[in-house]
Amino acid sequence: CAAYGAHAFKPADKALATSFENAQRMHLVHSVMLALSPRLPRPRLSGSLFALGTAMFCGSCYAVALTGERAYSKLAPVGGATLIVAWLTLVV
């Protein structure tokens, strides 16, 4: 994703580029958390929520950026909420 975004992805609409960059950033951070999930207090719960939230949030942002179809963005808030719950499993 990063190489494609840096070298090949050149949308005319800057909002699509921003969507792709947001997806990349969130994907990176939450992939690290997913990799660390076996060491977390509730590994199955946290790992599942990080995986699901990352797939929904980043997937919808990537889909919008690559297709230009804004209907895919409806899944991003659900993915974002799932990621928030995943982070809460670390402190609750």
Side-chain angles (χ1 to χ4, degrees):
C1 280
Y4 177 74
H7 301 290
F9 186 63
K10 306 290 185 212
D13 185 356
K14 292 294 181 190
L16 297 178
T18 301
S19 180
F20 193 86
E21 290 168 7
N22 287 340
Q24 280 184 311
R25 191 175 314 107
M26 296 295 281
H27 197 169
L28 175 65
V29 169
H30 292 98
S31 292
V32 170
M33 291 308 298
L34 187 57
L36 293 175
S37 65
R39 296 181 177 265
L40 299 177
R42 294 179 196 92
R44 289 184 184 167
L45 177 62
S46 299
S48 297
L49 290 171
F50 278 119
L52 184 62
T54 300
M56 288 191 299
F57 182 83
C58 297
S60 66
C61 290
Y62 286 136
V64 169
L66 296 173
T67 66
E69 181 60 47
R70 302 213 187 268
Y72 293 120
S73 67
K74 293 180 180 178
L75 197 55
V78 177
T82 304
L83 288 170
I84 291 170
V85 173
W87 282 101
L88 288 174
T89 64
L90 304 180
V91 295
V92 177

